[in-house]
Amino acid sequence: MPKVTFYTHVARPAAFACRLAARAVRESRVLIWSDSLETIMQLDRDLWQPPEQFLPHEIWQTEDAIPSETPLLLASGIDLPHLPADMTVLNLSPDFWHTAEPAPARILEIISDNLEDLADARLRFQAYRKHGFDIEHFDMHDKA
């Protein structure tokens, strides 16, 4: 059963995304997905800092074949790409990944403490639940 993990009330989502990606890539290949190329470019820079903690990654143009050797991919777009079923998606977009075919084995959702972001997250939570995803939630208030 696919699993989605919500991290809510995250004070610094970009920094948290880098730390979460570093943890997630120990268990599976990871795609960081955004609806903004600007966000992807910023994450590309952030993943180089500090240099001694560099996390190998690649910006993937989704119209190309998925790179097979890179543990962490960054991508953006309008349409969800086709992924191997065992891949983890760190979703930084308003997209609902339950519609992907096949659905990723794991989805990570980072939600800031912004009220609009929290309201959007509730909608995604309900959609994932409706589609049979196993859901877990971590409140990161005062933690991240």
Side-chain angles (χ1 to χ4, degrees), residues 17-94:
C18 291
R19 291 193 312 272
L20 185 58
R23 280 198 338 246
V25 81
R26 292 183 210 143
E27 297 177 17
S28 72
R29 291 186 66 213
V30 176
L31 169 67
I32 298 179
W33 178 256
S34 176
D35 58 338
S36 162
L37 181 57
E38 182 179 319
T39 298
I40 293 301
M41 299 308 288
Q42 183 61 53
L43 280 168
D44 179 44
R45 290 186 291 275
D46 292 347
L47 288 167
W48 282 88
Q49 301 301 323
E52 63 275 5
Q53 293 181 0
F54 169 71
L55 188 58
H57 65 280
E58 179 178 344
I59 295 176
W60 172 40
Q61 304 300 321
T62 58
E63 61 274 359
D64 297 337
I66 190 166
S68 61
E69 301 298 320
T70 310
L72 176 62
L73 301 173
L74 312 177
S76 65
I78 297 170
D79 298 320
L80 299 180
H82 181 77
L83 300 176
D86 62 345
M87 194 156 209
T88 295
V89 173
L90 198 166
N91 187 25
L92 301 179
S93 76

Side-chain angles (χ1 to χ4, degrees), residues 73-142:
L73 301 173
L74 312 177
S76 65
I78 297 170
D79 298 320
L80 299 180
H82 181 77
L83 300 176
D86 62 345
M87 194 156 209
T88 295
V89 173
L90 198 166
N91 187 25
L92 301 179
S93 76
D95 293 326
F96 291 70
W97 274 86
H98 66 77
T99 63
E101 289 293 331
R106 184 140 193 240
I107 301 165
L108 307 171
E109 296 270 356
I110 299 174
I111 315 301
S112 75
D113 50 8
N114 175 292
L115 293 178
E116 288 180 31
D117 291 346
L118 290 166
D120 290 344
R122 283 185 197 97
L123 295 175
R124 287 198 304 278
F125 183 96
Q126 292 167 352
Y128 287 123
R129 177 181 282 160
K130 180 180 176 182
H131 285 86
F133 280 69
D134 184 21
I135 298 174
E136 63 183 351
H137 170 247
F138 296 99
D139 185 341
M140 305 306 290
H141 189 266
D142 293 331

